[in-house]
Amino acid sequence: FCYSIRLCLEKILLQCILQSRTLSGADAINALRPFYFAVHPDFFGQHPKEREVNENSLKRLNGYLENLQKPGFRSFKPTQLTFYVRERERNSSNVQESFSASGFRAVSFTLHTRDLLSTVLDILNSCSLSTEHIQSLNVNSQPHKEARSTVNRPIKWDKTYYSFTGFKDPEEELEQAQRVETTLISWLDDNEASAVKKLKKSLPLRKELERLKFELSHQLQLSDIRWQRSWGIAHRCSQLHSLGRLVQQRPEVLKNVKGRTVVFTDRSGMSAAGHIMLGTMDVHHHWTKIFERLPNYYKLQKRLLFLEDRISQLLGGIQVIYIEELQPLLTLEEYYETLDSFYNKLRDSRLLFHPRSLRGLQMILESDRYAPSLHEFGHFTIPTVCDPATLQWFIFAKAQEARENLKRKEEMMISEKELIDTSTEKFSLDRLYKEPSVSSAQMIDCCKRLLEESLPYLQGMHLCISHFYSVLQDGDLCIPWNWK
């Protein structure tokens, strides 16, 4: 009972703040610090799918907050967001959200507020975060003395006023907007013009990016140049210009990159997959050191491949693989330590696998799991701390299912590519791609349903299959794979 009273008092107090004060943009950032700390993508390095979802949701949230601060902006539509929130105290919350075994929970909520303060409160409350610190913020009171005595709230008319005058009831409009689910056609109607404008503006930069990428790849004889995250075109061009300057200033340090893939990411080094990582926040001095260390990295990579082969021999010929799209971005050193620890554990356990009995099967190692599992694509996901006896039983029990899944994966990949090509051609798309967090099964389902539609809006566009609706800064259209 006391808890209920306290909640009511808190709501009344916050409502009073809402009615009498406003937040500045800087205040909103300060107020949302606990939220940003709980959802920031950098804390989800071990979980690439969840990181991708949070990155996309933060982009859409930032756009919503920016619009709130534009003078005279009134065209608001309810915006649904999903975040993976880092869990602070397990088993202490009564909120009905889905918790994972990895220490975070998925939270979905819809924003429909028209001022910064109420939006901030909605976000914090939706994520079960405290709002007490907002009361101590230096929020701006009414700027004019004569306005201080006036309560800053919209006039709430009786329903009969709207029926008599014929004016639209804003509360009723909001309720209708929340009830009406966004459809692909309606969303394209509302956002096509904005996407086309952004795309046209980005075309010169896109050509510049392709030119820089081709010239550097040819000059350094690289296998490929990639980006770990979905940075904008201008940002990518800037990174390639930086690499180009280093090539001009220190050509001798790049003599060992032939045949390699360069990945622009959050830190410098060599990845578990053998790619050269260039941290986007690092200066040329750090990049130079990485290029100078390449001979040592190549030696370590040979030792890593030897370890993978030894583990394979102990496990009946099963192949140890590293899948960039599904695993955290590990450095070569981190991955070597993981393999070495797992190999020593296997060697001491003396498991009884018949030589080559598991040839053709695949497995990946993960350090943040406790139970082995079989992926829909046919590879085993094995925790580094897995008990050897449990590991042996699980692989024996799931071996046949794994082979069936691997065969289905090959068929699915062929089907996915065919559907992407067919969709690209039918809608005259410039590009059709998906985010890493979208599975092949989801992509196939999405493309099949798209092919049943007539969508002239998409001609010449870049279409990304994602989990949310959004228009990226360079004009790419993002639609959820399960669009309605």
Side-chain angles (χ1 to χ4, degrees):
F1 178 71
C2 292
Y3 178 72
S4 299
I5 292 177
R6 186 171 66 84
L7 276 180
C8 290
L9 290 174
E10 284 182 1
K11 287 181 179 179
I12 293 170
L13 177 60
L14 290 173
Q15 190 175 4
C16 289
I17 296 174
L18 266 173
Q19 292 176 343
S20 60
R21 296 180 178 180
T22 58
L23 276 187
S24 67
D27 289 332
I29 296 296
N30 287 330
L32 286 173
R33 283 188 186 280
F35 166 74
Y36 288 130
F37 184 75
V39 304
H40 199 282
D42 287 351
F43 292 111
F44 290 80
Q46 302 291 312
H47 307 280
K49 290 185 179 180
E50 288 77 11
R51 177 186 180 123
E52 189 84 16
V53 169
N54 280 14
E55 282 183 348
N56 289 330
S57 293
L58 279 174
K59 288 177 186 176
R60 299 176 71 227
L61 172 60
N62 290 337
Y64 190 94
L65 294 176
E66 286 174 10
N67 284 337
L68 285 177
Q69 299 174 66
K70 291 179 181 177
F73 193 86
R74 292 291 178 268
S75 177
F76 286 94
K77 293 183 180 179
T79 300
Q80 185 172 6
L81 300 172
T82 296
F83 285 99
Y84 286 95
V85 181
R86 292 195 298 147
E87 187 181 356
R88 293 169 301 168
E89 297 181 30
R90 193 179 293 270
N91 300 326
S92 66
S93 174
N94 294 323
V95 181
Q96 297 297 313
E97 289 124 349
S98 56
F99 285 86
S100 73
S102 304
F104 50 77
R105 66 186 192 274
V107 178
S108 295
F109 54 90
T110 301
L111 292 179
H112 49 71
T113 45
R114 292 171 178 261
D115 63 89
L116 279 174
L117 184 52
S118 53
T119 302
V120 166
L121 292 172
D122 271 5
I123 294 169
L124 295 174
N125 287 325
S126 297
C127 296
S128 304
L129 297 172
S130 173
T131 57
E132 293 179 4
H133 62 289
I134 293 180
Q135 300 172 33
S136 61
L137 286 175
N138 184 26
V139 292
N140 301 320
S141 300
Q142 296 297 319
H144 303 292
K145 290 181 179 180
E146 61 271 16
R148 289 181 180 174
S149 59
T150 307
V151 178
N152 181 25
R153 64 169 182 244
I155 299 174
K156 188 173 182 179
W157 298 98
D158 188 88
K159 297 292 182 184
T160 54
Y161 167 79
Y162 299 106
S163 59
F164 179 77
T165 61
F167 294 149
K168 293 181 178 179
D169 183 348
E171 289 187 0
E172 189 176 314
E173 278 190 306
L174 179 59
E175 289 174 4
Q176 288 177 353
Q178 289 176 276
R179 286 196 299 268
V180 176
E181 189 172 16
T182 301
T183 66
L184 177 60
I185 301 297
S186 66
W187 187 82
L188 288 174
D189 277 337
D190 293 338
N191 293 276
E192 181 206 9
S194 170
V196 169
K197 184 179 179 181
K198 290 180 178 180
L199 181 61
K200 285 182 178 178
K201 187 178 178 182
S202 74
L203 289 178
L205 275 177
R206 290 181 187 272
K207 290 180 181 178
E208 173 73 356
L209 179 67
E210 289 302 312
R211 183 188 67 80
L212 289 169
K213 185 177 177 181
F214 174 80
E215 289 181 358
L216 282 171
S217 297
H218 180 73
Q219 185 176 0
L220 300 175
Q221 295 184 287
L222 295 171
S223 174
D224 194 10
I225 297 177
R226 302 180 192 167
W227 286 264
Q228 178 204 359
R229 295 164 64 184
S230 52
W231 284 295
I233 305 296
H235 197 165
R236 295 187 183 200
C237 285
S238 175
Q239 291 157 2
L240 291 183
H241 278 300
S242 292
L243 180 58
R245 285 194 295 272
L246 180 59
V247 173
Q248 293 176 352
Q249 296 166 5
R250 299 288 305 276
E252 73 281 359
V253 301
L254 291 113
K255 60 185 177 181
N256 295 310
V257 302
K258 182 179 179 179
R260 293 283 166 169
T261 293
V262 168
V263 182
F264 289 97
T265 180
D266 294 327
R267 53 180 173 165
S268 298
M270 179 168 277
S271 73
H275 303 325
I276 302 167
M277 300 191 302
L278 300 181
T280 57
M281 300 301 291
D282 292 339
V283 295
H284 284 181
H285 174 68
H286 295 102
W287 289 6
T288 301
K289 282 189 173 181
I290 296 302
F291 290 122
E292 289 173 343
R293 291 182 196 148
L294 285 181
N296 291 330
Y297 279 127
Y298 296 156
K299 290 177 184 177
L300 180 60
Q301 190 177 26
K302 287 182 179 179
R303 292 166 56 193
L304 185 148
L305 294 173
F306 175 75
L307 261 183
E308 287 183 339
D309 187 57
R310 296 303 302 271
I311 291 172
S312 176
Q313 292 176 19
L314 291 174
L315 294 178
I318 192 170
Q319 182 186 7
V320 183
I321 60 174
Y322 176 83
I323 305 177
E324 290 180 280
E325 294 81 8
L326 299 178
Q327 292 181 258
L329 188 67
L330 300 175
T331 64
L332 198 67
E333 298 93 331
E334 291 169 342
Y335 190 48
Y336 181 85
E337 289 179 9
T338 299
L339 287 172
D340 188 49
S341 173
F342 187 71
Y343 169 68
N344 291 330
K345 192 172 189 176
L346 285 181
R347 185 185 56 187
D348 296 339
S349 65
R350 301 182 182 278
L351 294 177
L352 301 175
F353 283 100
H354 190 278
R356 297 183 295 280
S357 61
L358 298 176
R359 286 187 68 179
L361 297 182
Q362 300 173 335
M363 60 169 278
I364 65 174
L365 282 173
E366 288 203 2
S367 56
D368 62 343
R369 292 177 181 266
Y370 295 94
S373 62
L374 177 62
H375 194 271
E376 62 175 344
F377 278 176
H379 62 263
F380 291 95
T381 300
I382 306 299
T384 54
V385 297
C386 185
D387 173 65
T390 302
L391 170 64
Q392 180 172 321
W393 175 86
F394 185 81
I395 291 178
F396 278 146
K398 297 286 186 178
Q400 183 56 36
E401 185 181 348
R403 294 188 189 280
E404 293 170 358
N405 285 5
L406 280 170
K407 184 178 180 181
R408 189 160 55 247
K409 172 193 173 182
E410 293 178 9
E411 297 170 351
M412 193 176 290
M413 298 297 283
I414 293 172
S415 177
E416 180 183 7
K417 185 180 184 307
E418 289 177 348
L419 285 167
I420 289 175
D421 291 343
T422 304
S423 300
T424 302
E425 183 178 353
K426 176 180 177 179
F427 300 115
S428 300
L429 288 164
D430 196 65
R431 186 187 177 203
L432 173 60
Y433 63 104
K434 68 175 184 177
E435 290 181 350
S437 55
V438 176
S439 69
S440 289
Q442 291 170 337
M443 187 67 172
I444 288 171
D445 175 71
C446 176
C447 289
K448 283 182 177 178
R449 293 189 298 111
L450 278 176
L451 288 170
E452 296 173 358
E453 302 292 326
S454 176
L455 301 169
Y457 317 86
L458 299 180
Q459 185 173 352
M461 301 302 294
H462 290 243
L463 182 63
C464 174
I465 307 304
S466 175
H467 294 278
F468 310 101
Y469 286 106
S470 64
V471 178
L472 301 185
Q473 63 187 33
D474 295 304
D476 293 44
L477 287 166
C478 292
I479 65 170
W481 69 270
N482 56 345
W483 54 270
K484 305 296 183 184

